Amino acid sequence: MAEVRRTFTVAAPLEKVVAYLRDFANTTAWDPGTVKCEQTTPGPVAVGTQWRNVSSFFRRTTELTYRMTRDDPDHVVFEGRNKSAATSDDLAFERVGDHSTSITYRAHLQFTGLARFADPVARLAFEVLAAKTVKQMTGVLEAR
């Protein structure tokens, strides 16, 4: 199992940050591991909405189905699954003045079956990816 947690502040108002990050299709812009992500359920984004996400990890491409499991004004959670992994992206938000937002980003990755033997290496790779994610997410949110 690999877990990372990062708390950082972006120069963007809370409502804009949450509105953007609650649509998981936007991971193509802020997550350096995401190659493609598209909503697969019709209608507006809400708890239960699903996305097909194609990611590159360990120089391999993998596809996961993500589902929004929490959609609060200050906290959103997405859970992803495929036959060899279960993941979650947990984003909590706090207003910092009128024009900034603190984001606590928690990511969790657990391999299943034979893939679980990759856990020690995954932890290291996940730490590197988390640092890149914070930098990329900050840049995207502040440019909007």
Side-chain angles (χ1 to χ4, degrees), residues 41-110:
T41 53
V45 172
V47 170
T49 299
Q50 293 186 4
W51 292 263
R52 179 181 159 269
N53 180 283
V54 179
S55 296
S56 178
F57 194 64
F58 288 132
R59 297 184 184 155
R60 296 187 67 191
T61 300
T62 187
E63 184 176 320
L64 293 105
T65 298
Y66 275 87
R67 182 176 165 275
M68 178 182 265
T69 59
R70 181 172 180 171
D71 186 19
D72 296 333
D74 63 349
H75 198 164
V76 295
V77 178
F78 305 93
E79 295 179 2
R81 293 196 177 277
N82 67 13
K83 65 182 179 183
S84 60
T87 68
S88 68
D89 286 76
D90 182 313
L91 298 138
F93 312 98
E94 186 176 334
R95 186 182 312 277
V96 181
D98 291 336
H99 304 290
S100 294
T101 304
S102 174
I103 300 170
T104 298
Y105 174 66
R106 289 178 289 267
H108 172 89
L109 171 63
Q110 184 169 357

Side-chain angles (χ1 to χ4, degrees), residues 13-14 17-18 20 72 78 87 90 94 102 111 118-119 137:
L14 177 79
V17 168
V18 175
Y20 182 76
D72 296 333
F78 305 93
T87 68
D90 182 313
E94 186 176 334
S102 174
F111 290 108
D119 271 349
M137 185 186 292

